[in-house]
Amino acid sequence: MTCHICGGVLQARHTTLPFKVGDDRIVIIKGLPVLQCGNCSEYVIEDAVMERVETILNGVDTTVELETLSYVA
Ligand SMILES: [Zn+2]
């Protein structure tokens, strides 16, 4: 799999990303497996991972403005 921006090689790695879940709510997920370009830092989240992220986001306490979670709970 190659980067859709620059054509560089995507490498599997773990990172921390913020997800906006409302007008003023952000959930930060740590240890997220992504494919990141070694050339331009563009990243891709695989469908299976994104589905798990959505499950995590759906289970978040809606009264909290900022929450940090681990991908592997
Ligand atoms: Zn790239």
Side-chain angles (χ1 to χ4, degrees):
M1 200 169 172
T2 55
C3 175
H4 65 279
I5 303 289
C6 73
V9 177
L10 295 179
Q11 296 168 330
R13 55 167 306 205
H14 291 83
T15 190
T16 300
L17 288 176
F19 291 88
K20 199 161 176 278
V21 291
D23 287 343
D24 52 9
R25 295 178 49 230
I26 290 176
V27 176
I28 294 168
I29 300 183
K30 299 187 293 186
L32 195 68
V34 298
L35 297 172
Q36 188 164 43
C37 179
N39 192 43
C40 74
S41 297
E42 177 72 11
Y43 62 84
V44 174
I45 300 174
E46 291 175 291
D47 288 348
V49 174
M50 204 60 223
E51 282 176 21
R52 170 107 170 91
V53 166
E54 284 173 10
T55 301
I56 292 170
L57 296 181
N58 284 336
V60 169
D61 183 346
T62 56
T63 62
V64 178
E65 285 187 5
L66 179 66
E67 181 148 359
T68 305
L69 298 169
S70 292
Y71 178 78
V72 182

